[in-house]
Amino acid sequence: MSDRRSYTVVGGGAIGGTLAFHLARAGHPVSIVDADAAHVAAIEARGLTLRRPEGAETVELPAFTPADAPPVLGRVLLAVKAQATETVLEWLTPRLAEDGFVVSLQNGLNERLIASRVGPERTVGAFVNLFADVVEPGVVRDGGLGALVVGEPDGRITPRVEEVVADLQVWGPAKATANVEGYLWAKLGFGAMLTTTALADAPMADLIDRHRPLMHALTAEVFAAAGERTLEAFDQFDPAAYLPGATGREEATDRLVAWLRSQPKDRSGIWRDIAVRHRPVEVHHHYAPVLAEAPVPLLRAVLARLREVESGAVAMSEDHLTELERAL
């Protein structure tokens, strides 16, 4: 395995666990560091299992809690929830090798925070739209392929970016980009739709389809905050159709809804964090930069309603979407 690059995946949940599985299966030396002791113990005892509709497969790889992890880390794939980034960086920064680097395989805009701790020369940006869930300790359910792009935050495509992309292609269609920020902001628009669907217990595709005026207005509001940034299309999401004043939204939403209905995973990770795992969602951290950039009253209303749902003050209900839509 001397020709295989080694990786440490920090955060072995849905995204990190899926990528660690494929890297390990392809022969890369890869280990997982995760704060969930039960998840780590299960991987150590039985391996990491990826469950697909056609069956399950298991690979063996080392897993550690942060307290037991190796003292020096090289190539790090960071896949923790956005709200955990700052705490993890306090742990990670003194352990990162001088020639090591961190790839932010997270939702949200975390590259600037990472660079402020480990240095911009050791920070690599990435965008991932991967559908998966941890369904029990040591077991990740694959929810279907999505987009994954990697690029330097300053727009360069460097040899290390090309190496990471080549390695991640053992998972699926990873590619390099000179505009990782454009993908991340586009995901914030798409993610606003998914965030809104977490207010109800119903498939994402159905809720987006039934509440198109709300979804269109919300996404346009986020993209207005993006300013002059060039937004990048991914999977079946076309951000150009949702820009303020754009045409073709109905057709774009038709394609998006049809694609979502083809995915094995029909509810968002946000919904799962609330309904199944009973833990705080990360989207409030995702949208803090958007709230700081521009007035986004509809987004603020969605996030306020989501706080009520995640705290248990109100129940999940499609009525939340209907009420928000009436206020347009």
Side-chain angles (χ1 to χ4, degrees):
M1 285 192 263
S2 61
D3 61 334
R4 299 294 187 181
R5 286 175 281 269
S6 62
Y7 290 91
T8 301
V9 176
V10 177
I15 293 172
T18 298
L19 297 177
F21 172 90
H22 287 282
L23 288 167
R25 189 178 65 167
H28 289 274
V30 57
S31 60
I32 283 176
V33 179
D34 198 280
D36 186 336
H39 190 48
V40 167
I43 295 170
E44 281 286 279
R46 301 185 296 274
L48 177 63
T49 298
L50 188 68
R51 188 180 294 169
R52 302 186 185 93
E54 63 269 22
E57 187 177 352
T58 300
V59 296
E60 293 186 2
L61 74 168
F64 308 92
T65 61
D68 299 323
V72 180
L73 307 176
R75 292 170 178 257
V76 173
L77 305 182
L78 184 61
V80 300
K81 294 286 188 180
Q83 67 265 38
T85 305
E86 190 160 4
T87 299
V88 168
L89 287 171
E90 293 176 4
W91 169 87
L92 173 59
T93 301
R95 290 169 172 80
L96 188 62
E98 187 174 338
D99 60 348
F101 57 87
V102 178
V103 184
S104 175
L105 288 162
Q106 304 169 272
N107 291 315
L109 304 169
N110 303 294
E111 284 78 3
R112 185 175 298 178
L113 174 59
I114 295 168
S116 73
R117 296 301 181 87
V118 306
E121 74 283 358
R122 296 195 293 177
T123 302
V124 177
F127 157 82
V128 58
N129 193 43
L130 188 156
F131 290 80
D133 291 306
V134 175
V135 292
E136 62 185 83
V139 180
V140 176
R141 180 173 58 203
D142 184 8
L145 289 176
L148 196 165
V149 299
V150 182
E152 300 286 353
D154 63 7
R156 292 175 299 140
I157 298 177
T158 58
R160 69 181 180 184
V161 165
E162 293 176 332
E163 289 174 355
V164 170
V165 166
D167 294 341
L168 291 180
Q169 284 174 353
V170 301
W171 159 78
K175 66 178 185 179
T177 180
N179 184 25
V180 69
E181 185 183 49
Y183 281 98
L184 293 172
W185 270 89
K187 177 67 178 290
L188 287 171
F190 176 50
M193 292 189 187
L194 302 189
T195 297
T196 307
T197 69
L199 296 173
D201 184 8
M204 297 178 288
D206 293 349
L207 291 169
I208 292 171
D209 198 13
R210 288 199 291 265
H211 297 276
R212 293 186 180 214
L214 173 62
M215 300 300 173
H216 294 171
L218 182 63
T219 308
E221 187 179 83
V222 172
F223 288 161
E228 298 302 313
R229 295 176 177 91
T230 300
L231 304 175
E232 300 283 357
F234 60 90
D235 296 325
Q236 289 299 315
F237 180 71
D238 178 11
Y242 299 97
L243 291 169
T247 60
R249 290 182 185 177
E250 293 296 334
E251 295 81 3
T253 304
D254 287 343
R255 293 190 295 271
L256 178 63
V257 166
W259 177 72
L260 285 171
R261 288 192 171 123
S262 74
Q263 300 297 306
K265 178 176 175 176
D266 70 352
R267 285 163 172 79
S268 71
I270 309 157
W271 174 91
R272 185 174 181 81
D273 278 343
I274 297 171
V276 179
R277 308 200 72 177
H278 308 294
R279 66 183 185 183
V281 300
E282 61 176 339
V283 294
H284 303 292
H285 294 262
H286 296 170
Y287 289 102
V290 181
L291 300 179
E293 291 242 3
V296 281
L298 185 56
L299 177 62
R300 286 185 184 276
V302 169
L303 294 176
R305 192 69 61 97
L306 188 69
R307 283 196 185 278
E308 293 180 326
V309 171
E310 67 177 316
S311 70
V314 299
M316 284 184 174
S317 171
E318 192 169 346
D319 290 343
H320 298 307
L321 284 75
T322 301
E323 291 170 10
L324 287 162
E325 203 161 49
R326 286 197 191 112
L328 294 179

